[in-house]
């Protein structure tokens, strides 16, 4: 039950990272505002301070997501797996060796 719940949590966070995070980055955090002067010329300005303050809550959410992904990186060294014969492997050395030789590098970079 824990492993299933953990996998669902990680899956939801991956969806968040692939959608909401990218949306925020593209359309909110790097938003460039154009202000029109009375003579109809425009000036490009940065974000308003109220928008920057609104982003503060997102920082905490991103930190929590990062911490959960780090915990996932560590937990994968302890999660058993089913080998080619259909036997569940629970030993720490074989589990760690398999994780290091399969998806560890991808998880670490991500």
């Amino acid at each position: 039950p824990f492993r299933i719940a953990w996998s669902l949590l990680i899956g939801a966070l991956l969806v968040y990272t692939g959608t909401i995070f990218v949306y925020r980055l593209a359309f909110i955090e790097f938003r460039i505002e154009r202000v029109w002067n009375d003579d109809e010329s425009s000036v490009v300005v940065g974000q308003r301070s109220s928008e920057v303050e609104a982003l503060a809550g997102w920082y905490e959410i991103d930190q929590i997501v990062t911490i959960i992904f780090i915990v996932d990186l560590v937990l994968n060294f302890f999660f058993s797996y089913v080998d080619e014969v259909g036997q569940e492997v629970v030993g720490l050395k074989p589990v760690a060796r398999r994780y290091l030789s399969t998806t560890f590098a991808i998880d670490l970079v991500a």
Side-chain angles (χ1 to χ4, degrees):
F2 172 76
R3 190 166 180 181
I4 293 170
W6 184 257
S7 295
L8 289 173
L9 173 65
I10 295 300
L13 292 178
L14 287 171
V15 169
Y16 163 80
T17 303
T19 57
I20 297 171
F21 178 78
V22 175
Y23 173 81
R24 273 190 21 245
L25 198 63
F27 296 107
I28 297 174
E29 292 189 26
F30 292 126
R31 181 173 173 215
I32 297 174
E33 190 172 328
R34 187 175 293 271
V35 177
W36 295 94
N37 295 324
D38 291 335
D39 62 354
E40 297 189 18
S41 63
S42 66
V43 177
V44 175
V45 295
Q47 295 175 325
R48 288 174 270 181
S49 62
S50 61
E51 289 176 330
V52 173
E53 290 170 8
L55 296 175
W58 288 109
Y59 175 78
E60 283 81 14
I61 292 172
D62 289 341
Q63 293 304 312
I64 292 168
V65 169
T66 300
I67 290 168
I68 292 173
F69 280 136
I70 291 170
V71 169
D72 181 59
L73 191 74
V74 173
L75 280 179
N76 277 308
F77 282 102
F78 300 99
F79 283 152
S80 64
Y81 68 94
V82 178
D83 66 6
E84 302 81 25
V85 184
Q87 301 260 332
E88 184 177 16
V89 178
V90 294
L92 289 179
K93 273 190 175 181
V95 169
R97 191 176 305 120
R98 181 172 189 264
Y99 181 48
L100 287 170
S101 67
T102 55
T103 60
F104 176 75
I106 295 168
D107 291 346
L108 184 64
V109 170

